[in-house]
Structures are given as structure tokens and as C-alpha cells.
């Protein structure tokens, strides 16, 4: 439908949310589930981050809708759009182009972040974001240590080699670079800067949500 899944039943929308989340979970975890190992799913840090990110994003969209009185958007519809953006599934239960700038910006961050490594989701992936944030923390901490102090790069439950961190930063940097260069083309063509950033982030993250430009 032109309105995506905004006009379908609540049961179908809930099913879509669950499928979106399932698609953004690391594929090896499904193999563990088939073998009866539920702990790997329950204890996985990326799954925790995915659920928290989706709920936080949904809460922000709901709060923005209530504060700005943007019409009869239900809590379920906003949650669906939030998880759809976070998992880069591309379904929408609300007209994205009519959302306020804050909500659009929150969705942009979610689409750029994406789901889990080893899943069908796009974006830079949550684990890379977690590692990047931790690296920034370690760099700040290092400024307070003596030059000969030893530091471990144990992040997200394991140690990371230097070449792994270089690849992680390269992927993240390339993604951001592609988004920025593409965004400049749209801005040069006189499109609204925020809507243009939304479009290129959606395309780069293989999402499909649109403010109407596309």
C-alpha cells in the first residue's frame, strides 16, 4: 500500500515488529536456538542493545508526538516505525514526512546504527557503535594515565586486536563519508537539509523509509 502498513490490522503490525526484530538478530543465534541453547540469545549484548535502542527510540517518538500534538498517531504505530527504522526493515505505520525535526533526527540515528552484526539489517551495526563508544571512553581514560601504563581493549565481552579495530573504524568512517557526500548533492539541489539527510541515510542503511523526496 502507499501508506505502507499503516492501514492494516494491529495483529499484523505486531507480527511485522517481531519479524523486524528477528531479522536484526545475529543469524548464528538461530542455530543455537534450534539446538536448545536459549542462553546465547538471552545473554547476547547486541540483542539487549537492539531491544533497548528500539524501545528508547519508540519512547522518543511517542514523547515528541504528545508534546507537539502531531495527530492521532497511536503508541503501537510509533513503536512499529521505531523498530522498523532501528532494524532497517523499512515499514512505516505513520507518514514519516509529517514528523517533527526531532523525530526525523532520531530515526536518522537509528537507521545509521542498524541492527546486529551477522543479521540481515543494514547500517553500521550496533556492535560497531558499542565498540566505538568504548574506544572513545578508553582514549579519554588514557589521557589520565602515565605513558607506560598498560591498558586492555576488552570491549563487549572480548579482547579486540588492533587490525580488528582498524577495520571497524574503516567501515564506520566509510559509511559516514558516503552519507555526507550524498547528502551534499541533495542540499546542492535545494532539498530540505534534514529531509535530504533522512533520505541518504535510509538508502545507505538499506532501510527504505522516506520523507517523500524519493
Amino acid at each position: 500500500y502507499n501508506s505502507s502498513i499503516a492501514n492494516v490490522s494491529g495483529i499484523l503490525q505486531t507480527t511485522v515488529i517481531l519479524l523486524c526484530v528477528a531479522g536484526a538478530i545475529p543469524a548464528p543465534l538461530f542455530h543455537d536456538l534450534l539446538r536448545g541453547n536459549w542462553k546465547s540469545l538471552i545473554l547476547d549484548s547486541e540483542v539487549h542493545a537492539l531491544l533497548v535502542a528500539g524501545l528508547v527510540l519508540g519512547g522518543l517518538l511517542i514523547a515528541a508526538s504528545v508534546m507537539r500534538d502531531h495527530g492521532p498517531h497511536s503508541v503501537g504505530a510509533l513503536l512499529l516505525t521505531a523498530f522498523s527504522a532501528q532494524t532497517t526493515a523499512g515499514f512505516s505505520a505513520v507518514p514519516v514526512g509529517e514528523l517533527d525535526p526531532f523525530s526525523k533526527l532520531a530515526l536518522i540515528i537509528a537507521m545509521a546504527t542498524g541492527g546486529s552484526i551477522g543479521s540481515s539489517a543494514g547500517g553500521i551495526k550496533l556492535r560497531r557503535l558499542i565498540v566505538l563508544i568504548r574506544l572513545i571512553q578508553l582514549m579519554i581514560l588514557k589521557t589520565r594515565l602515565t605513558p607506560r601504563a598498560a591498558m586492555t581493549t576488552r570491549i563487549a565481552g572480548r579482547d579486540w586486536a588492533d587490525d580488528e579495530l582498524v577495520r571497524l573504524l574503516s567501515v564506520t568512517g566509510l559509511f559516514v563519508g558516503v552519507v555526507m557526500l550524498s547528502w551534499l548533492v541533495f542540499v546542492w539541489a535545494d532539498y530540505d537539509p534534514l529531509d535530504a539527510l533522512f533520505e541518504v541515510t535510509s538508502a545507505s542503511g538499506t532501510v527504505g523509509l522516506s520523507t517523500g523526496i524519493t
Side-chain angles (χ1 to χ4, degrees):
Y1 299 97
N2 289 338
S3 59
S4 189
I5 57 172
N7 296 325
V8 301
S9 67
I11 295 177
L12 182 56
Q13 289 185 351
T14 302
T15 303
V16 168
I17 291 179
L18 295 177
L19 290 173
C20 290
V21 173
I25 290 176
L29 292 182
F30 291 104
H31 180 260
D32 292 339
L33 287 176
L34 291 175
R35 300 178 62 183
N37 183 9
W38 288 85
K39 287 187 177 180
S40 59
L41 175 65
I42 296 173
L43 300 178
D44 188 83
S45 60
E46 270 194 297
V47 174
H48 298 165
L50 177 66
L51 296 176
V52 170
L55 291 173
V56 169
L57 177 61
L60 292 174
L61 296 184
I62 293 169
S65 179
V66 171
M67 292 178 64
R68 292 172 172 81
D69 192 20
H70 277 164
H73 299 321
S74 67
V75 171
L78 292 170
L79 278 175
L80 170 63
T81 303
F83 273 97
S84 179
Q86 188 66 60
T87 59
T88 70
F91 296 106
S92 176
V94 298
V96 176
E98 298 177 7
L99 294 176
D100 61 281
F102 175 82
S103 296
K104 290 179 183 177
L105 184 58
L107 289 172
I108 288 171
I109 295 172
M111 293 188 298
T113 303
S116 306
I117 290 179
S119 72
S120 63
I124 63 173
K125 304 297 193 297
L126 284 164
R127 185 175 293 274
R128 290 192 180 99
L129 179 64
I130 293 171
V131 174
L132 182 60
I133 292 173
R134 182 57 179 159
L135 278 177
I136 294 174
Q137 291 176 330
L138 290 175
M139 286 189 293
I140 295 174
L141 177 61
K142 193 172 183 179
T143 62
R144 301 168 53 192
L145 301 177
T146 60
R148 296 184 178 181
M151 286 183 60
T152 60
T153 54
R154 187 168 184 79
I155 307 171
R158 73 180 185 89
D159 295 324
W160 294 73
D162 290 343
D163 61 330
E164 288 182 303
L165 295 176
V166 169
R167 288 198 299 270
L168 181 147
L169 293 174
S170 298
V171 170
T172 304
L174 286 170
F175 183 91
V176 173
V178 168
V179 169
M180 291 296 102
L181 290 175
S182 305
W183 179 51
L184 289 176
V185 175
F186 277 79
V187 174
W188 176 78
D190 292 330
Y191 286 103
D192 177 81
L194 185 60
D195 286 351
L197 182 60
F198 190 102
E199 296 291 321
V200 298
T201 305
S202 178
S204 301
T206 67
V207 185
L209 292 174
S210 175
T211 57
I213 293 178
T214 305

